[in-house]
């Protein structure tokens, strides 16, 4: 079984369409993943960061739905992204292998940053492809989301500096 259905990618536009459909699946899975990460986090600052990013992620879903409706004949359909499934699964492993507390928080923080980096790479390509295709409104929408992903990642880096120290001291 191939990663892609053969002949799905016929030209640059269909390559772009597929990319944004993968992104919709990514974001839909992250909405669920973040809800579980919020429940499993004890650090207030981290919980707050996840909650803020959950709200932003719901906005990311709306932007992608708008884009896909325009280029996919109104058919807003995602394409299951196995990479994000695996990344979220790695967070679930952290939860099952740790007690609630700082160590788990530090592990989930690292998982969240892996997810952010994956999203940053994916949105960067999608924005560039939209640019090449002349979809200037899409470029703007994708750039807004990319900026929010980068900001979320920077915030997590800042939180990690404290959380990691506290996790190491607690252990
Ligand atoms: Fe996102």
């Amino acid at each position: 079984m191939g990663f892609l259905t053969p002949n799905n990618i016929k030209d640059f536009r269909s390559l772009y369409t597929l990319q944004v459909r993968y992104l919709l699946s990514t974001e839909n899975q992250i909405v669920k993943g973040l809800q579980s990460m919020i429940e499993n986090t004890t650090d207030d600052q981290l919980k707050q960061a996840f909650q803020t990013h959950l709200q932003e992620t719901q906005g990311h879903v709306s932007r992608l739905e708008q884009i896909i409706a325009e280029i996919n004949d109104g058919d807003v359909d995602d394409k299951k992204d196995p990479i994000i499934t695996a990344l979220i699964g790695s967070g679930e492993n952290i939860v099952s292998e740790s007690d609630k507390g700082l160590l788990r928080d530090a592990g989930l923080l690292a998982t969240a940053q892996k997810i952010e980096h994956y999203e940053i790479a994916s949105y960067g390509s999608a924005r560039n492809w939209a640019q090449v295709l002349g979809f200037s409104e899409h470029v703007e929408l994708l750039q807004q989301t990319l900026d929010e992903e980068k900001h979320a990642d920077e915030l997590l880096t800042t939180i990690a500096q404290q959380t990691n120290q506290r996790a190491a001291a607690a252990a």
Side-chain angles (χ1 to χ4, degrees):
M1 278 244 297
F3 183 64
L4 299 172
T5 310
N7 302 321
N8 244 353
I9 301 172
K10 295 187 180 76
D11 51 24
F12 205 63
R13 183 187 162 122
S14 55
L15 180 67
Y16 170 69
T17 304
L18 196 59
Q19 173 84 346
V20 286
R21 288 178 62 215
Y22 275 124
L23 269 168
L24 180 58
S25 164
T26 296
E27 297 287 20
N28 281 329
Q29 291 185 66
I30 290 171
V31 167
K32 285 187 196 146
L34 269 172
Q35 282 164 346
S36 144
M37 285 163 86
I38 289 164
E39 279 169 30
N40 285 298
T41 300
T42 49
D43 183 280
D44 284 342
Q45 215 185 351
L46 184 58
K47 207 184 258 283
Q48 184 59 53
F50 285 160
Q51 262 155 356
T52 303
H53 198 55
L54 174 58
Q55 284 168 1
E56 286 175 340
T57 301
Q58 282 154 347
H60 301 172
V61 168
S62 305
R63 285 179 192 139
L64 289 167
E65 285 175 346
Q66 188 186 329
I67 289 171
I68 294 166
E70 275 177 36
I71 52 173
N72 205 32
D73 299 324
D75 183 14
V76 182
D77 191 18
D78 67 3
K79 177 99 180 166
K80 172 132 176 150
D81 182 350
I83 308 292
I84 205 73
T85 310
L87 284 171
I88 290 172
S90 76
E92 288 164 355
N93 288 345
I94 299 272
V95 169
S96 66
E97 291 173 26
S98 62
D99 293 325
K100 205 164 184 168
L102 284 165
L103 289 171
R104 181 185 283 178
D105 289 351
L108 287 179
L109 215 158
T111 303
Q113 287 202 277
K114 286 183 203 174
I115 293 171
E116 286 311 321
H117 284 228
Y118 176 65
E119 287 195 278
I120 288 165
S122 304
Y123 274 105
S125 302
R127 181 215 43 205
N128 292 345
W129 293 353
Q131 220 150 23
V132 169
L133 287 160
F135 297 141
S136 52
E137 267 182 52
H138 297 192
V139 172
E140 214 168 292
L141 290 168
L142 294 166
Q143 184 66 54
Q144 282 169 16
T145 297
L146 181 57
D147 290 343
E148 286 171 2
E149 306 293 9
K150 285 182 178 169
H151 178 258
D153 181 53
E154 283 162 13
L155 181 61
L156 291 172
T157 297
T158 306
I159 296 172
Q161 283 162 359
Q162 294 171 14
T163 305
N164 293 344
Q165 290 292 341
R166 288 171 56 216

